Amino acid sequence: FFPFVVMAHLVDRQVAGRVLLQPAPTVESRPRVSYSFHDLVKLEKSENVELHRQHSDGLKASGSHRSCSGQRSNHSRPGNGAWPRDYSPGRPSPSASFRSGRMASSAFDNWSFPDFIEAKDDASCMSDPNKESSLIFFEKTNSTFHMKVGTSHYAFCVDQYGGLEHLHFGNWVGMHDFTFLSETDPALNFEPAPAGTQYSMGELLRMVEDEDDIDPQQLWMLSTHMKSERGGDWHMARVENLTWRLRNMWSKNAQEAKKVGGAQKLLQFLDKSSVPLHNVAEEMRVEGHQPGRQGLKGTKLLEVSEFGTGDFRTPSLDVCFRKDGSRLLPLVYKHHRIINGILPSSSGLPVLGKYHSEGAKTLVVDMVDTYTEVKVQLIYTIFPSISAVSRRMVVKNSSKVGLGDVDLMKCMSATFDFSTDDWHMLSLHGGWANERHINTRRIQEGMIHLGSNRGVSSHQMNPFCVLSSGPPAEDHGHCYGFCLLYSGNWLMEVEHSQTGCVRVNVGLSNTHFSWHLGSQESFETPECVCVFSDSGLGKMTQTFQRLIGERLIAPRWQNLICPVLINTWEAMYFEVYHDKIIQFAKPAIEAGVELLVLDDGWFGKRDDDTTSLGDWVPDPRKLPRGLKGLAEDLNAMGLKLGLWVEPEMVNQDSQLYKQHPEWVLHHPARMRSEGRNQLVLDLTREEVQDYIIDAVSQVLNSANIEYIKWDMNRALTDAFSAALPPRQQGEVYHRYVLGLYRTFEVITSSFPHVLFESCASGGGRFDAALLAWCPQAWCSDNSDAFSRTRIQMGTSMWAPVRCMGAHIAACPSHQTHRTHMLKTRFIVALWGTFGLELDLNKLSKQELREMKDLVSLRQKLSKVVLHGEYFRLPGFGYPGASHSNSAGIGDSHVYAWMFVTPEQDRAVVSAIVFHRDTVGKFPSRLKLRGLRPEYHYVLTEHVPTMVEEGVFNGVFQPGGPQFKHRRRLTLTGAVLMEVGIPVHFNFDGDAMLLELQVGSSSTPQESNRVHSLFNGKRHAFASC
């Protein structure tokens, strides 16, 4: 009846409804294989039978367990040998010993394969979890995955029903059995249990003890495959699983009456559940498809959650089988594998490590619905010394039960569950010209939805949020930052459940989304990055900025010092004639500008925003010698040429629209909506992508163009594609983004020397995904210094400073009509890529000299600012201000930030005041961060504040440049960080800029000697 001889040489292991057969210690080289249960009936009573093997993609193991050197290694738990003490070669393996229907468990329980296996080129090589190079481990004893995420620890396990239960994400605490975290969780009354009543092994034996036709040992052997992975304890056997195991033991070629009768008799005893039992004869005609687990999930912390199977929280995944309309997809663990490096995207989505994957490790966990065999891959990638884990999901319709096509209704990139705490959330909100303001709230019962359904990541919300234990703070507390690498419709769900636990779902928006999966077709989600910090928002920010700078941005741009540019838009708008551009460029050269960007108006008949989008040919009226002639003239003057384009859009008044009206997103039977007089091209069409690629390529080939500003000035509406069948209209938004990514990939690969900056009506598509092709992005159309301070404070939560497009704009501001002195505008623009957005011809000679000095100062400080470690500075402000206000949290009128080189020998410090709340009250001292306590830093204040001479409040005040400190200071890092420095602002809108440099010696005496040699000459800068 059962292959006893073969089983005597195999150690059994049950995982999620499949028997994983591992070679016994006497077998040297037999690979680990996986058999479905119906395959077991085909086994012969011989060791030499040929079996249909399903090779596991997980860890390879062999009886020899040779080390990397080729020598046999003794991997065991403390106190145990490599093999059981009572085992010797040639004896039957432990699984062959039976005593009264029970296994002689002592030998089996003491023997195990190595607990921790890390993927190397030789998968059988063992690794020490304490080594720095060891990142991912699988603890076999408790079926637990451990990931060493920088100084952090991410752990989850395969539970007794085959699900993935989350255990820990926090500081690294060493390799421990974390399964105790779930074993003490009580089940809530009236919550669903697994499908079918549960019975222990003893209960099942008592049920059949008076039945002559049922062999208790036979029943016992089936139940051994349900042995718990946790410490050898028996868990409750699911009748549903026992049922289908019994059914599958008989193939259509083995239907002897005695066996069928015995099976029917046994099934009668097992038929005490809600699981409907079918006729055994009918079952014998089906190559057993295994039903999936259900229930007992509503209170667990999970790695993935499916709709309709007992977890009533917001799910990770929701599918619909078209044939019968069913929405159930209970997933169980199948196997896993660990990969050196990353797993590239199969659909062109940006992923961390694409350009630089050295040291990365990727864990791929395969889940399966055992009934339909639809597969789900959970992909985890981590990088050495970075406390972050990236996650994404792949779903494959591999159904073999005739259910046909599948519609994905919801497919999140990642689900993160957290146990009860005083959870708070930080998110970034706003609107056009007012993007990414910091918002905080306490999480209470219910659901918070963040997201965009505009077809872009949006001005209104940014695909980023933070979960913090307690109110979010800059310099202390545990927090988790979530960032989605995606540029279209997105969703973040934060749910506070009945138990107090919190779930965070991150991924694609499921509004107007569905994805049709035909047989064997797959769908891949965007990548979500989660960063853990045990020291507040500051450390989280530094991790994000390092991760994006090192692992997302193309290597050719990673050490870029952004060129100082001047843009024609606010100075000239559509009046971009060749001669006017040359006149515009002359003072820019004198001021030290390196790049001139020709903005909107240079193509077609573009005299306003009603015409010519799509016709990317220079207007001969404005550029009689074309772009080539303009580039030649500018290059001869010492300037590079950059260009503005908006390739995703088209005007009705254009040659492109006349030729291809079907190329726009619209429903042919309905009226279309326009934005800024333009329509959106249908990038789901490959021919439209190719047109954009060809048009932009022709422009770049026509002249020496070294910079592209890629704009996108409206959201997507009428999202219907005539190129897609009805069943795929829910795919339009996502296919649009995939088309955009393909377009960027082809163009940037063809022109690697061209620097791309993304823009979408300002900061409407400022997301991490586009940084893979455009290493900088325009923060906002609002360049007002006050507005930009708040915008850039929020943007800096995750984005590197070198990616934040920031310019000195005209005064008064074109957006707010506020007036700020040049010093303040410079300090805010320095906090980004730095450029000019004004007509230098309108400045006086004195003001032009001051601008030249400021550009020169920017070049001096740029390496520190763009590639130093960034700190927001909390605890600075006037009486009544909260500690975090100056770091951007809460309603603040005082802000401060700084940059420190990796060597900690230089720093740049900035501070700004919007409004002084009261006259005569002093702000607190400004305490710096990130310095070496023992170093002696020489403080140099740049750009003094100009004060008019006169009598104020009855006291004569001399005019001229005013510095915050009247003498040169040399202070230790300890003093600067623990004591701080006083900063007194002269009036509303005042600002301060300090440079710190380590003296030539660490001793105060030598620092003072160097001090005395300093030239005390300082420049005065006028207001605008």
Side-chain angles (χ1 to χ4, degrees):
F1 165 69
F2 206 80
F4 291 97
V5 176
V6 173
M7 289 298 291
H9 294 275
L10 297 173
V11 178
D12 62 84
R13 177 183 175 210
Q14 187 269 336
V15 176
R18 302 183 76 84
V19 183
L20 297 183
L21 300 178
Q22 298 177 349
T26 55
V27 182
E28 286 279 329
S29 59
R30 182 177 298 169
R32 174 177 174 177
V33 294
S34 172
Y35 301 91
S36 60
F37 278 92
H38 66 272
D39 287 328
L40 291 176
V41 301
K42 302 175 184 178
L43 294 174
E44 302 289 342
K45 295 183 179 181
S46 169
E47 293 187 43
N48 299 320
V49 296
E50 291 296 326
L51 302 177
H52 173 65
R53 296 180 178 180
Q54 301 173 346
H55 288 273
S56 170
D57 291 330
L59 305 174
K60 295 180 179 179
S62 67
S64 63
H65 296 298
R66 295 190 182 276
S67 67
C68 297
S69 63
Q71 300 300 315
R72 185 182 301 274
S73 57
N74 182 17
H75 303 291
S76 60
R77 295 190 300 268
N80 293 336
W83 314 116
R85 284 186 292 271
D86 60 348
Y87 173 79
S88 62
R91 293 178 57 185
S93 65
S95 61
S97 301
F98 302 94
R99 296 174 184 171
S100 302
R102 293 183 179 272
M103 182 173 65
S105 61
S106 60
F108 175 81
D109 289 344
N110 287 332
W111 178 86
S112 73
F113 284 93
D115 290 338
F116 308 114
I117 301 179
E118 181 194 17
K120 293 181 178 292
D121 292 336
D122 178 359
S124 65
C125 297
M126 305 305 297
S127 65
D128 182 356
N130 295 315
K131 289 183 179 179
E132 194 66 29
S133 61
S134 302
L135 299 179
I136 300 178
F137 317 94
F138 179 65
E139 185 185 2
K140 181 174 176 290
T141 304
N142 299 298
S143 299
T144 301
F145 295 93
H146 297 267
M147 288 184 272
K148 193 170 185 180
V149 186
T151 59
S152 307
H153 195 160
Y154 192 102
F156 62 93
C157 70
V158 182
D159 69 13
Q160 65 267 41
Y161 302 111
L164 298 185
E165 184 170 2
H166 179 76
L167 298 173
H168 173 62
F169 189 15
N171 283 322
W172 178 261
V173 293
M175 303 299 292
H176 296 284
D177 176 10
F178 286 133
T179 55
F180 74 92
L181 294 171
S182 64
E183 290 169 356
T184 56
D185 288 343
L188 299 181
N189 291 338
F190 305 107
E191 288 293 305
T197 310
Q198 299 177 350
Y199 300 95
S200 69
M201 195 61 239
E203 290 171 329
L204 289 173
L205 289 173
R206 284 193 295 274
M207 289 167 55
V208 299
E209 62 185 355
D210 296 327
E211 300 295 328
D212 297 333
D213 294 337
I214 298 176
D215 181 4
Q217 189 179 62
Q218 169 187 329
L219 179 62
W220 177 86
M221 289 197 63
L222 293 172
S223 68
T224 58
H225 301 304
M226 301 200 67
K227 182 176 179 297
S228 172
E229 293 294 320
R230 298 180 180 177
D233 297 329
W234 294 97
H235 72 274
M236 304 297 282
R238 293 175 62 212
V239 173
E240 176 190 6
N241 283 352
L242 282 175
T243 300
W244 59 258
R245 283 181 184 141
L246 285 167
R247 290 169 182 159
N248 286 328
M249 287 179 58
W250 286 270
S251 69
K252 56 186 176 183
N253 296 323
Q255 301 181 15
E256 291 85 3
K258 182 177 180 180
K259 292 182 178 179
V260 173
Q264 290 176 331
K265 190 75 172 178
L266 184 55
L267 291 176
Q268 290 175 7
F269 285 98
L270 297 177
D271 189 13
K272 295 186 178 183
S273 71
S274 60
V275 181
L277 299 179
H278 303 288
N279 183 276
V280 174
E282 294 178 359
E283 286 292 330
M284 290 188 293
R285 292 196 295 267
V286 179
E287 289 294 319
H289 294 288
Q290 309 147 9
R293 67 187 175 88
Q294 296 183 26
L296 201 65
K297 297 188 291 184
T299 59
K300 285 190 175 187
L301 305 182
L302 302 174
E303 292 291 302
V304 63
S305 173
E306 322 91 12
F307 172 81
T309 57
D311 183 4
F312 297 101
R313 295 164 291 183
T314 180
S316 321
L317 195 62
D318 184 8
V319 304
C320 179
F321 291 93
R322 286 203 168 189
K323 184 173 183 179
D324 63 2
S326 64
R327 307 274 298 259
L328 302 179
L329 192 74
L331 297 172
V332 292
Y333 169 88
K334 183 179 181 183
H335 49 62
H336 71 273
R337 61 187 181 275
I338 302 171
I339 300 170
N340 288 321
I342 69 164
L343 189 67
S345 169
S346 60
S347 56
L349 290 163
V351 292
L352 294 170
K354 173 184 176 181
Y355 302 111
H356 176 43
S357 62
E358 183 180 356
K361 298 285 185 182
T362 298
L363 169 66
V364 182
V365 180
D366 288 347
M367 308 285 285
V368 65
D369 172 18
T370 54
Y371 174 62
T372 65
E373 296 197 30
V374 169
K375 297 179 176 62
V376 174
Q377 281 188 336
L378 304 184
I379 303 171
Y380 302 76
T381 301
I382 58 178
F383 299 90
S385 72
I386 297 181
S387 294
V389 56
S390 74
R391 293 185 55 185
R392 51 194 164 114
M393 184 188 298
V394 176
V395 181
K396 183 177 182 180
N397 178 15
S398 50
S399 176
K400 297 180 180 179
V401 293
L403 289 181
D405 294 355
V406 176
D407 285 329
L408 282 178
M409 312 304 294
K410 180 180 182 181
C411 191
M412 306 303 282
S413 300
T415 292
F416 298 89
D417 282 353
F418 298 90
S419 58
T420 303
D421 207 327
D422 181 23
W423 293 114
H424 287 65
M425 188 179 77
L426 179 151
S427 50
L428 304 178
H429 300 258
W432 176 78
N434 194 37
E435 297 91 340
R436 292 176 298 285
H437 283 226
I438 297 172
N439 177 280
T440 61
R441 70 190 90 175
R442 185 175 185 178
I443 297 177
Q444 296 179 323
E445 288 82 355
M447 179 85 74
I448 298 172
H449 291 265
L450 307 175
S452 168
N453 294 317
R454 297 170 177 263
V456 293
S457 46
S458 88
H459 303 85
Q460 288 70 26
M461 296 184 192
N462 194 254
F464 167 84
C465 75
V466 180
L467 196 68
S468 66
S469 177
E474 186 68 21
D475 50 5
H476 63 274
H478 285 199
C479 62
Y480 302 84
F482 306 91
C483 183
L484 182 67
L485 275 63
Y486 193 61
S487 308
N489 291 351
W490 60 275
L491 174 66
M492 290 186 179
E493 300 172 310
V494 182
E495 181 179 8
H496 187 293
S497 69
Q498 60 178 344
T499 63
C501 299
V502 167
R503 167 168 293 175
V504 179
N505 270 346
V506 182
L508 295 171
S509 172
N510 58 338
T511 300
H512 195 68
F513 169 82
S514 65
W515 194 274
H516 173 259
L517 287 178
S519 178
Q520 305 305 311
E521 291 182 347
S522 298
F523 178 81
E524 177 186 36
T525 69
E527 188 170 51
C528 167
V529 182
C530 180
V531 167
F532 168 72
S533 167
D534 62 357
S535 301
L537 299 171
K539 183 178 177 181
M540 178 207 71
T541 289
Q542 290 160 6
T543 302
F544 269 120
Q545 293 181 347
R546 179 186 169 194
L547 187 62
I548 291 170
E550 293 180 1
R551 302 290 181 165
L552 182 62
I553 295 174
R556 61 184 178 275
W557 305 120
Q558 287 182 358
N559 297 316
L560 173 71
I561 301 297
C562 309
V564 177
L565 65 82
I566 189 167
N567 189 290
T568 62
W569 181 242
E570 289 193 9
M572 305 174 71
Y573 289 106
F574 294 101
E575 300 296 317
V576 285
Y577 291 87
H578 184 106
D579 292 341
K580 291 184 66 173
I581 296 170
I582 297 301
Q583 292 301 315
F584 177 77
K586 289 179 180 179
I589 297 169
E590 185 179 345
V593 171
E594 301 167 282
L595 169 70
L596 184 145
V597 179
L598 177 58
D599 211 283
D600 199 353
W602 61 269
F603 54 92
K605 298 179 180 179
R606 184 77 166 174
D607 294 327
D608 55 36
D609 62 3
T610 64
T611 180
S612 300
L613 283 177
D615 301 340
W616 301 107
V617 179
D619 184 349
R621 299 172 303 152
K622 298 177 180 179
L623 302 173
R625 294 169 52 210
L627 292 171
K628 186 175 187 296
L630 179 62
E632 289 173 348
D633 289 352
L634 292 175
N635 292 166
M637 298 168 65
L639 281 175
K640 300 176 181 179
L641 174 62
L643 204 62
W644 175 96
V645 293
E646 193 176 2
E648 300 164 64
M649 302 293 154
V650 64
N651 292 120
Q652 288 195 56
D653 183 10
S654 68
Q655 292 300 313
L656 176 63
Y657 183 80
K658 292 175 183 178
Q659 295 171 10
H660 294 286
E662 76 280 6
W663 277 8
V664 300
L665 288 175
H666 75 290
H667 191 287
R670 298 180 181 275
M671 294 187 64
R672 294 171 301 200
S673 56
E674 295 185 4
R676 200 174 180 248
N677 303 300
Q678 60 197 48
L679 300 168
V680 183
L681 289 173
D682 183 359
L683 265 71
T684 69
R685 295 173 176 256
E686 191 168 337
E687 63 268 30
V688 174
Q689 302 166 27
D690 291 340
Y691 172 81
I692 295 174
I693 292 168
D694 291 342
V696 174
S697 298
Q698 289 178 21
V699 170
L700 292 175
N701 282 322
S702 70
N704 184 23
I705 298 168
E706 301 180 61
Y707 167 99
I708 287 290
K709 181 178 180 180
W710 187 296
D711 209 343
M712 195 267 198
N713 280 310
R714 63 155 291 180
L716 274 60
T717 56
D718 312 306
F720 181 93
S721 173
L724 294 175
R727 68 177 182 272
Q728 290 184 265
Q729 290 302 319
E731 303 174 10
V732 171
Y733 282 105
H734 184 56
R735 286 188 180 275
Y736 181 97
V737 176
L738 295 180
L740 175 67
Y741 290 161
R742 174 181 175 262
T743 302
F744 269 125
E745 179 66 24
V746 174
I747 294 176
T748 57
S749 299
S750 301
F751 300 92
H753 65 286
V754 177
L755 175 63
F756 281 75
E757 177 177 303
S758 66
C759 177
S761 306
R765 201 160 59 182
F766 197 120
D767 53 67
L770 284 186
L771 296 179
W773 299 281
C774 306
Q776 56 192 57
W778 186 231
C779 266
S780 176
D781 279 348
N782 187 349
S783 292
D784 174 271
F786 285 2
S787 300
R788 268 307 188 99
T789 297
R790 288 192 171 118
I791 291 169
Q792 291 173 202
M793 191 65 74
T795 306
S796 73
M797 279 287 165
W798 64 265
V801 170
R802 57 183 158 141
C803 301
M804 293 162 38
H807 296 172
I808 298 175
C811 183
S813 166
H814 287 208
Q815 291 78 40
T816 66
H817 297 282
R818 277 195 292 247
T819 296
H820 302 294
M821 61 179 177
L822 182 57
K823 168 187 178 177
T824 301
R825 288 180 285 150
F826 166 75
I827 289 174
V828 175
L830 181 66
W831 182 16
T833 59
F834 191 83
L836 307 179
E837 195 92 17
L838 72 169
D839 188 351
L840 295 177
N841 286 299
K842 295 181 180 180
L843 300 185
S844 67
K845 291 184 178 180
Q846 174 63 25
E847 290 171 334
L848 188 58
R849 284 195 297 269
E850 293 168 3
M851 185 67 74
K852 179 180 179 180
D853 288 337
L854 290 175
V855 171
S856 176
L857 178 60
R858 183 269 179 182
Q859 301 292 55
K860 176 186 176 184
L861 303 178
S862 60
K863 187 174 182 180
V864 182
V865 171
L866 298 176
H867 297 286
E869 198 164 32
Y870 169 72
F871 296 88
R872 292 175 294 268
L873 300 179
F876 176 58
Y878 287 91
S882 297
H883 178 79
S884 296
N885 282 176
S886 58
I889 297 178
D891 186 15
S892 178
H893 297 298
V894 178
Y895 297 90
W897 61 94
M898 68 181 292
F899 312 89
V900 183
T901 60
E903 300 78 17
Q904 298 175 286
D905 59 346
R906 291 184 68 196
V908 174
V909 183
S910 301
I912 184 174
V913 60
F914 289 3
H915 306 292
R916 295 190 301 168
D917 296 333
T918 56
V919 176
K921 291 191 176 181
F922 297 161
S924 55
R925 293 171 182 154
L926 179 59
K927 296 180 180 181
L928 308 187
R929 302 177 65 199
L931 305 176
R932 289 286 292 271
E934 69 276 15
Y935 279 8
H936 289 76
Y937 293 92
V938 179
L939 277 64
T940 302
E941 184 178 348
H942 294 294
V943 198
T945 300
M946 290 299 298
V947 177
E948 295 182 2
E949 180 179 315
V951 176
F952 298 90
N953 295 320
V955 179
F956 176 79
Q957 177 174 288
Q962 297 287 320
F963 288 90
K964 304 298 182 249
H965 298 278
R966 306 225 173 165
R967 63 186 179 91
R968 191 67 57 91
L969 297 174
T970 298
L971 301 171
T972 64
V975 170
L976 290 166
M977 292 188 292
E978 298 298 329
V979 179
I981 54 176
V983 179
H984 297 286
F985 295 110
N986 296 78
F987 43 73
D988 289 357
D990 196 7
M992 179 196 71
L993 179 65
L994 292 178
E995 180 184 7
L996 280 63
Q997 287 184 294
V998 171
S1000 59
S1001 173
S1002 61
T1003 65
Q1005 295 81 5
E1006 184 61 24
S1007 294
N1008 288 332
R1009 187 188 69 80
V1010 174
H1011 220 190
S1012 65
L1013 299 177
F1014 247 93
N1015 184 352
K1017 181 179 179 181
R1018 292 168 172 174
H1019 297 288
F1021 297 91
S1023 68
C1024 71

